[in-house]
Amino acid sequence: MNKELQEILAAAKEVAVRFKHLTGKPLGITGEIAEFSAAKLLNLNLAEARQAGYDAIDRTGRKIQIKGRCLPENPGPGQRLGSVRLDHEWDSVLLVLLDQSFEVIEMWEADRPAVQKAILAPGSKARNERGALAVGKFKKIGTKVWPADKA
């Protein structure tokens, strides 16, 4: 990522934090911050804007859908990812968890079969109709990919 883009993202994060402080509402840039952060930290190639189904491609050619979530200081169990559409082409979903300053806390990835099984499991209307998995559920089916745990 070039220096100018890094500067723009840093400024955007600042504006988003100030906006939320003044209005109590999010500015709506979480997805973009998550995508660029994941690309930088995991060495992903971002797809063209508005590419249906996936946001990035990894070194092996896998198509990755990126979901970002800015967590409050004390997140409750109701935190959810945005919709995951099963009718689009993608190989895995990457969840980028951000703090209130839009800095990456951690990232989790789950392959398509596990995500599809979780979305189609009986029980939750929100999950089944909109493909909206809870963050906790996603962590259970996924693997932490950043930061790398120290052994």
Side-chain angles (χ1 to χ4, degrees):
M1 183 179 343
N2 71 37
K3 187 177 179 186
E4 184 178 11
L5 185 53
Q6 289 179 359
E7 290 171 359
I8 290 169
L9 287 171
K13 288 178 186 181
E14 248 182 74
V15 169
V17 169
R18 289 175 48 211
F19 185 86
K20 176 119 188 219
H21 177 74
L22 290 172
T23 67
K25 298 178 181 186
L27 188 56
I29 64 167
T30 305
E32 286 76 13
I33 298 294
E35 288 177 18
F36 281 96
S37 297
K40 179 181 177 185
L41 294 170
L42 300 178
N43 196 25
L44 303 174
N45 292 314
L46 291 177
E48 295 293 322
R50 307 295 177 240
Q51 171 64 49
Y54 61 94
D55 303 298
I57 299 173
D58 72 8
R59 284 180 246 106
T60 66
R62 293 176 64 244
K63 295 173 180 160
I64 303 167
Q65 191 172 142
I66 300 173
K67 298 295 181 183
R69 187 75 183 152
C70 190
L71 297 176
E73 284 185 37
N74 298 309
Q79 299 293 320
R80 295 194 168 281
L81 283 71
S83 285
V84 175
R85 302 251 326 251
L86 298 176
D87 58 341
H88 285 148
E89 182 183 4
W90 51 272
D91 298 307
S92 70
V93 175
L94 179 70
L95 172 60
V96 180
L97 296 175
L98 306 165
D99 66 15
Q100 292 291 292
S101 298
F102 294 91
E103 297 301 323
V104 179
I105 301 168
E106 58 189 22
M107 290 187 261
W108 294 77
E109 187 172 15
D111 288 329
R112 185 179 186 110
V115 174
Q116 192 163 326
K117 182 179 177 184
I119 288 172
L120 297 175
S124 169
K125 188 173 183 177
R127 181 185 65 228
N128 296 140
E129 290 181 6
R130 296 189 298 271
L133 289 173
V135 169
K137 176 66 176 175
F138 190 87
K139 285 181 168 187
K140 286 180 183 170
I141 65 169
T143 302
K144 186 176 178 186
V145 294
W146 193 93
D149 287 330
K150 308 245 185 314

